Amino acid sequence: MDFSFSDEQQMLLDSTRRLLTDNYSVQQRRQIISSPEGYSRSIWRQFSELGLLGLNIPAEEGGLEGGAISTLLVCVAMGEALIVEPYMSSAVMATRAIAKLSSSAQRSEWLPRLNSGTVIAVLAHDQTNGAAAQAVFDDTVAARSQNAWRLQGRKAIVYHAPLADVLLISAKLDAASGTGTGLFAVPRDAPGLRLEAFTTVDGQRAADIVLENVEVPDHARIGGDVSATLPMVLDYGAAALCSEAIGVLDKLFSMTVEYCRARVQFGQPIGRFQALQHRMAEMLMHLEQARSMAYLAAFWCESEEASRRAAVLSGAKVIIGRAARFVGQQAIQLHGGMGMTDELMVGHYFKRLLAFEVRFGSTESHLQEYAARFLEPDRDGL
Amino acid sequence: MYLNYTTEQNRFREQVRLFLRANLPEDIRDRSLNGEERVAEDIRRWQRILHAQGWGAASWPKEFGGTGWSPIERYLFDLECALAGAPPQLPFGLKMVAPVLMRFGNPRQQQYFLPRILSGEHWWCQGYSEPGAGSDLASLKTRAVRDGDYYVVTGQKAWNTLGQNADWIFCLVRTDPSAKPQRGISFLLIDMRAPGITVKPTTLLDGTQEVNEIWFDNVRVPVANRVGEENQGWTYAKYLLGHERANIASVGTSRRQLRQLQRIAATQLRHGVPLLREPRFRARLAQLDIELTAFEITTLRVIAADENKAAPGPEASILKIKATEILQQISELMLDAIGIQALPFSAAVPPSSVPRSEWQHLSRITAQYLNFRKLSIYGGSNEIQKNIIAHLILDL
Ligand SMILES: Cc1cc2nc3c(=O)[nH]c(=O)nc-3n(C[C@H](O)[C@H](O)[C@H](O)COP(=O)(O)OP(=O)(O)OC[C@H]3O[C@@H](n4cnc5c(N)ncnc54)[C@H](O)[C@@H]3O)c2cc1C
């Protein structure tokens, strides 16, 4: 076992942190959220200059090819800064989908532009990652017609869809056209494609997607039947989301400890009260358990061993989800009235954690997924 | 021991139900049941309707225009109102400053203020907390300096609930800075229209503006608006806090919310099956329902024991903690019930990105979950209530 990061990885983390400390103040973040676009193009360009957008692009295509551990570290930094840019959606998930599933022609069509930040792509799949089993609509179907595909249906709550230039839309093939699931690159302004956009509870842009007879050419289809391959991309995304949550938890926790050191009531810092000391000790324990699972998730998320990979990711969602709830709630509680305000960042970190709990399958649904594994005979540990 | 309502109590309850069915306006009820943001005018209108019936102040004695009901009858009234979806009556006048005026105010103050609280003409708010004085309330700094027949008040109050609508504010102010913190405080009634008062809204994490900062800049307050003795304000303040805590314990609201949760769980599907049929979820729901039943009896025990006492005792702290824990747990379970649909949210975003009606309805559940974090903070935080239990009940 080796828990250390390479010098290269550490440098990547440091430079990402530096970039965000210098360019992503609370004030700047507020302005970005209330801007019409809902994200900062200039930050996006800087991500590209630092190579962050190419972290999941193979070296032969001009990327850094950092893999899961580097992505983990960058996402932690993104979480600390509570960014609203589509890093996870575009640079991690969609980029990974194209890099792993598409033809070499498609790779050279998209990857350089994703790397340079001129194109933002968003994967529009079942946002519950299959695990939630929650009845949010996803009834998209693809039908073959001559040399094109016709897409029909809806996708619910797709993060960053309003910012995307291209949407990677998954769709069940209709009976006449074949079997399995297809993935299609659809320009956001394609005729028949409509977005119903909104802002999410954690300050990001998202949309429901409505597809009415959207036609895309043959070469817009990425990969063949992606039923078996798409889950790998999603698990990779889930692991990235877990790392982001660690950044959020870290920051929220240290903000709370700082506050308890500084806030004086009854003639002493409230951090002196044993009741609060114990609470913070519990928060720390949650945080460390969460960190362990985020590491484990990053380590396993590229594995071809599907069932083990899924178990680790479910476990991570459960442990980090529980931590998110406890640490989030207690951070507000320990800040007293100040924790309830929009002015302090506490509430904003709290809301990002709330979103974490339900994205990519809720804590409860992952617990049940994990529990179902005990039905298999003679399983031992992870 | 007999743990059921008597025939007379049941008859009383039925009478309240009939009244509510006939008199609670539908539009007010719907807004309140949908969990929409509280509309000030709804609160005013409902108070006028209750007042016309002679039920404006359930908890007051008859001599001041109250109902003279027994504690159990008062409890049943609150319960039925909450179940029916009536908006909560504004507590600041009726349940906070009024008991103080009745006990410590002079006849002139009682005759002027109490009828106006009862009719809803005066909207009151509470000016206790300050930026530097929350849990440690006695460290408050707002100064009141005597100048002839006036006090000149300067300072800042924080977290003032619904003060944007208020006509009057009751304030704790420091009149003797040299005395020990608890000994130099006085209790003043201040007209919100007095020159020198500025109200500045505070936006909360759910995007609402239900609390305010209130600034006092050399505000002149007649000495006649001081309640009781100068520098004795702490005694009155604590008397009031007991009432505030006992008042937060609302079984009816929790019951209604639990019913709503049950309805939500019946429509939300997992694996195509209603959540209500899912054993783990149903067990959590059951756990809360049992908890609430126990809490109902605990509340009634405290009420019955308090029947002959002037003010609620430290047991009010038990009620405050439990009531807020139950409400927070219900709101958490609602959040869990809607799952990923908790994400679309409209508060404080550019107008172009308002969610569709379908999400909008559910985003109220998210908003309530965010907003209800306040329950364990205000009215004396739950940590402070535990300190009170440890000191005053356990004598530790
Ligand atoms: C939505 C809302 C509405 C409110 N409405 C009003 C109103 O209308 N009028 C009014 O006057 N006030 C109001 N308040 C203020 C409320 O009473 C205070 O927020 C509360 O007393 C806590 O004070 P604080 O916010 O300064 O937190 P602090 O006192 O700074 O407390 C911070 C944390 O430290 C803990 N703590 C403090 N002391 C101790 C201790 N000795 N032992 C253990 N833990 C401790 C607290 O429990 C809390 O977790 C409102 C507050 C909110 C959030």
Side-chain angles (χ1 to χ4, degrees), chain A residues 292-313:
Chain A
S292 297
M293 284 313 267
Y295 288 170
L296 199 65
F299 184 75
W300 277 99
C301 71
E302 292 177 283
S303 165
E304 306 268 341
E305 237 181 284
S307 98
R308 186 135 180 198
R309 192 183 71 226
V312 169
L313 278 152

Side-chain angles (χ1 to χ4, degrees), chain A residues 30-47:
Chain A
R30 269 181 209 281
Q31 280 165 3
I32 293 169
I33 289 180
S34 56
S35 71
E37 284 197 302
Y39 81 108
S40 159
R41 280 180 191 274
S42 115
I43 282 287
W44 199 248
R45 210 172 309 118
Q46 294 176 68
F47 284 172

Side-chain angles (χ1 to χ4, degrees), chain A residues 133-134 159 196 199-201 208 263 265-266 279 325 329 333 336-338 340 342 351 364 367-368, chain B residues 131-132 134-136 159 203-205 271 278 280 332 336 338 340-341 343 345 349 356 359 369 376 383:
Chain A
Q134 199 183 345
Y159 262 64
E196 287 171 356
T199 301
T200 61
V201 68
D208 296 340
R263 170 72 171 169
Q265 290 286 275
F266 304 101
R279 200 80 53 80
R325 185 158 292 190
Q329 291 182 348
Q333 183 68 21
M338 286 310 289
M340 288 296 298
D342 177 73
K351 288 187 272 189
E364 174 65 24
L367 181 61
Q368 298 205 8
Chain B
S135 298
D136 183 12
W159 316 116
T203 304
L204 297 185
L205 78 166
H271 295 288
E278 203 276 310
R280 277 177 55 88
E332 255 181 71
D336 291 342
I338 64 171
I340 196 164
Q341 297 165 98
L343 293 172
F345 199 73
V349 301
R356 291 183 301 124
W359 297 144
Y369 171 72
S376 48
E383 286 80 13

Side-chain angles (χ1 to χ4, degrees), chain B residues 20-298:
Chain B
L20 286 165
R21 219 166 292 151
N23 294 284
L24 175 60
E26 247 174 74
D27 60 322
I28 295 185
R29 186 200 59 201
D30 290 348
R31 272 191 289 277
S32 152
L33 287 180
N34 289 340
E36 285 174 39
E37 238 184 280
R38 257 179 281 163
V39 183
E41 191 43 37
D42 285 355
I43 295 176
R44 290 204 179 90
R45 233 168 96 204
W46 182 231
Q47 182 62 28
R48 284 197 296 271
I49 294 169
L50 288 174
H51 180 49
Q53 169 77 5
W55 293 358
S59 56
W60 293 11
K62 269 211 155 100
E63 49 174 316
F64 293 115
T67 56
W69 287 338
S70 72
I72 301 287
E73 286 169 333
R74 266 140 56 184
Y75 172 83
L76 287 172
F77 175 75
D78 284 343
L79 181 69
E80 287 303 327
C81 283
L83 288 177
Q89 285 176 273
L90 205 63
F92 309 108
L94 285 167
K95 298 193 174 171
M96 293 190 198
V97 77
V100 172
L101 289 175
M102 289 176 201
R103 179 83 184 271
F104 305 104
N106 60 38
R108 216 187 37 76
Q109 291 168 336
Q110 291 171 349
Q111 280 153 25
Y112 179 74
F113 288 115
L114 294 177
R116 288 171 175 81
I117 292 174
L118 194 58
S119 69
E121 182 187 337
H122 284 175
W123 183 301
W124 280 85
C125 66
Q126 178 184 26
Y128 270 28
S129 309
E130 297 180 3
S135 298
D136 183 12
L137 185 57
S139 69
L140 61 95
K141 290 205 170 64
T142 298
R143 279 281 281 135
V145 181
R146 188 72 179 259
D147 177 19
D149 288 338
Y150 289 86
Y151 286 106
V152 180
V153 178
T154 299
Q156 183 195 355
K157 292 291 175 184
W159 316 116
N160 177 275
T161 299
L162 298 177
Q164 64 266 44
N165 308 313
D167 305 293
W168 285 84
I169 179 170
F170 55 91
C171 273
L172 295 180
V173 295
R174 189 156 301 285
T175 34
D176 184 357
S178 61
K180 280 173 81 179
Q182 285 87 342
R183 306 224 160 248
I185 292 171
S186 298
F187 193 106
L188 295 187
L189 312 174
I190 305 179
D191 185 342
M192 286 293 281
R193 280 172 208 79
I197 296 184
T198 311
V199 179
K200 192 174 152 257
T202 304
T203 304
L204 297 185
L205 78 166
D206 60 351
T208 58
Q209 297 188 331
E210 63 178 46
V211 299
N212 304 276
E213 289 178 329
I214 301 192
W215 302 76
F216 297 85
D217 177 17
N218 288 304
V219 176
R220 295 180 73 79
V221 181
V223 171
N225 286 350
R226 186 190 70 220
V227 176
E229 304 284 310
E230 189 171 83
N231 297 329
Q232 292 301 308
W234 189 247
T235 313
Y236 319 141
K238 281 200 305 190
Y239 180 78
L240 184 150
L241 282 177
H243 283 272
E244 177 178 2
R245 278 157 204 168
N247 183 48
I248 289 173
S250 174
V251 173
T253 307
S254 296
R255 268 281 165 240
R256 176 160 57 70
Q257 295 256 355
L258 211 50
R259 282 184 191 167
Q260 195 194 341
L261 171 57
Q262 199 177 329
R263 274 197 302 274
I264 293 168
T267 55
Q268 291 287 320
L269 305 180
R270 297 291 189 280
H271 295 288
V273 175
L275 198 49
L276 199 54
R277 306 216 155 272
E278 203 276 310
R280 277 177 55 88
F281 191 88
R282 208 165 59 240
R284 288 174 75 194
L285 194 61
Q287 180 74 49
L288 266 175
D289 193 76
I290 296 166
E291 196 79 53
L292 184 55
T293 302
F295 180 61
E296 188 164 8
I297 298 301
T298 308

